[in-house]
Amino acid sequence: MKGISYSRYGGPEVLEYGEVRDPKVGPDTVLVKVRAAAVNPVDWKCRAGYLDGVLDAVFPVIPGWDVSGVVVRPGAAVTEFSVGDEVIGYVREDFLSRGTLAEYVAAPVRTLARKPRNLTWEEAAGLPLVGLTAYQVLYKALRVRRGETVLIHAAAGGVGSIAVQLARHLGARAIGTASEANHDFVRSLGGEPVTYGEGLAERVRGLAPEGVDAAFDTIGGETLKTSANLLAPEGRLVSIADGDVVDYGGRYSFVRPDAEDLTRLAELAEQGVVSVHVSQTFPLERTADAYRRNEEGRTRGKIVVTVDWPDETQD
Ligand SMILES: NC(=O)c1ccc[n+]([C@@H]2O[C@H](COP(=O)([O-])OP(=O)(O)OC[C@H]3O[C@@H](n4cnc5c(N)ncnc54)[C@H](OP(=O)(O)O)[C@@H]3O)[C@@H](O)[C@H]2O)c1
């Protein structure tokens, strides 16, 4: 099959498009014909070797953890899915080897859920990783409640744009940091935008003089420190970007594949509670350009890679 792979750590130039080995379909795994795969910052951080201390890379590595596609072959012991089912997945294992940026991926059932019917393939591919991240942080780690005020950083990005919508659904106010060009976008999600950088703390205090009940840090460093200082008494802090959060009494979170959470998220998407904004798509062959774009750090919503199948094989 065709796919993207890299045989050493490095920049986008190490990504190659060409023949990659076919996936093997384990007993509790399904073979998914990939329609779209989203790009996430973690993919290029892995590719650069930044996660080498925690994840083994089995070269050549096919990158990508997000997928939408169609089940073409369930493994021998799979009862959850059948041929033709449309699925989404956050297909992460504890090592880097066989990702989603290829024509097919073998996805363990624990990583999958049914695709929300109202989402395009591209939107659906953009949901799992960032959606699960936002869901697990807001629902499980921060336990956001009705009437609370939540500070969400990078509110226009992949994680933040879903987090704002989920926080609103939970009945909270969502103050979201973004550059001014993204303020209308953040408002369209239900958030109250504030410009990040110099003066951020004062601007947030202007909106929440008593402090925020919960802060969701997606940036780390100074932003984490500022967030800790903006907490109301008993306020909670979670970071997905900086392990130093524990020094501020907060907690670090790393998104886990979870079929139940993903199914719940898919339901919220079908109900119109959560939408995915796809800002740009690239064909599989141009995956390196998709990552170059994401590495600029200014993605609004999601960048998605599509696999274009000839008409006769469309599902
Ligand atoms: N631990 C985990 O489980 C986990 C899971 C997912 C993601 N992450 C990490 O979380 C971070 C965010 O992920 P993502 O997928 O949301 O990234 P992303 O979509 O690439 O984020 C891009 C957004 O970041 C905004 N931004 C850039 N610098 C900012 C700043 N200083 N303050 C506020 N916003 C800023 C940009 O907004 P403007 O264009 O308006 O500047 C842009 O909309 C990444 O570092 C990622 O690796 C961790």
Side-chain angles (χ1 to χ4, degrees):
M1 68 168 179
K2 291 277 193 277
I4 300 295
S5 65
Y6 57 94
S7 297
R8 62 186 167 85
Y9 290 137
E13 72 285 352
V14 302
L15 295 171
E16 291 176 36
Y17 172 75
E19 277 302 314
V20 292
R21 64 201 183 285
D22 289 333
K24 292 181 182 169
V25 183
D28 56 3
T29 290
V30 298
L31 187 65
V32 176
K33 179 175 159 182
V34 178
R35 298 298 303 269
V39 160
N40 287 287
V42 72
D43 301 335
W44 53 261
K45 293 176 185 176
C46 288
R47 190 201 63 219
Y50 300 156
L51 275 76
D52 189 59
V54 290
L55 287 174
D56 266 325
V58 183
F59 294 115
V61 171
I62 299 171
W65 284 342
D66 263 337
V67 73
S68 66
V70 180
V71 173
V72 288
R73 183 148 55 94
V78 170
T79 54
E80 294 90 337
F81 298 102
S82 313
V83 173
D85 284 349
E86 298 183 350
V87 292
I88 55 173
Y90 164 45
V91 191
R92 172 171 75 74
E93 298 182 272
D94 292 331
F95 56 96
L96 303 169
S97 175
R98 318 186 54 98
T100 55
L101 282 155
E103 290 178 328
Y104 296 91
V105 65
V109 291
R110 68 184 166 81
T111 67
L112 296 176
R114 281 168 206 283
K115 171 186 169 287
R117 282 175 294 239
N118 54 330
L119 264 50
T120 63
W121 291 112
E122 291 83 357
E123 290 166 341
L127 183 64
L129 191 151
V130 295
L132 282 173
T133 305
Y135 182 88
Q136 290 171 359
V137 168
L138 294 175
Y139 282 68
K140 295 180 163 180
L142 288 172
R143 293 178 168 274
V144 170
R145 295 182 290 266
R146 178 164 295 281
E148 290 192 322
T149 300
V150 189
L151 174 63
I152 297 167
H153 290 286
V159 175
S161 59
I162 304 291
V164 168
Q165 297 174 77
L166 289 176
R168 298 292 293 136
H169 180 61
L170 285 164
R173 276 178 77 192
I175 298 175
T177 65
S179 64
E180 284 191 12
N182 277 322
H183 280 200
D184 282 345
F185 175 60
V186 172
R187 271 188 210 103
S188 76
L189 303 170
E192 298 168 52
V194 283
T195 304
Y196 56 83
E198 192 69 36
L200 170 65
E202 290 67 32
R203 286 190 285 279
V204 174
R205 276 201 198 93
L207 292 172
E210 315 291 317
V212 299
D213 302 297
F216 184 175
D217 171 56
T218 59
I219 305 288
E222 277 302 307
T223 303
L224 172 64
K225 195 170 159 188
T226 305
S227 301
N229 289 333
L230 283 166
L231 291 179
E234 310 297 319
R236 292 98 65 203
L237 173 66
V238 167
S239 179
I240 58 167
D242 193 336
D244 288 349
V245 64
V246 293
D247 298 340
Y248 299 97
R251 149 175 179 195
Y252 178 73
S253 178
F254 196 98
V255 54
R256 284 192 187 164
D258 187 307
E260 205 177 304
D261 289 353
L262 191 56
T263 300
R264 181 71 193 115
L265 203 54
E267 287 166 1
L268 290 171
E270 278 200 346
Q271 291 161 8
V273 169
V274 167
S275 62
V276 180
H277 177 84
V278 176
S279 55
Q280 215 172 351
T281 60
F282 291 83
L284 185 61
E285 314 84 87
R286 290 192 52 216
T287 294
D289 289 333
Y291 281 113
R292 282 188 186 93
R293 197 90 178 96
N294 182 246
E295 290 180 46
E296 291 168 11
R298 307 304 301 273
T299 303
R300 178 185 289 183
K302 296 300 297 175
I303 293 172
V304 173
V305 169
T306 56
V307 178
D308 297 318
W309 295 94
D311 280 348
E312 64 274 17
T313 60
Q314 297 277 336
D315 295 285

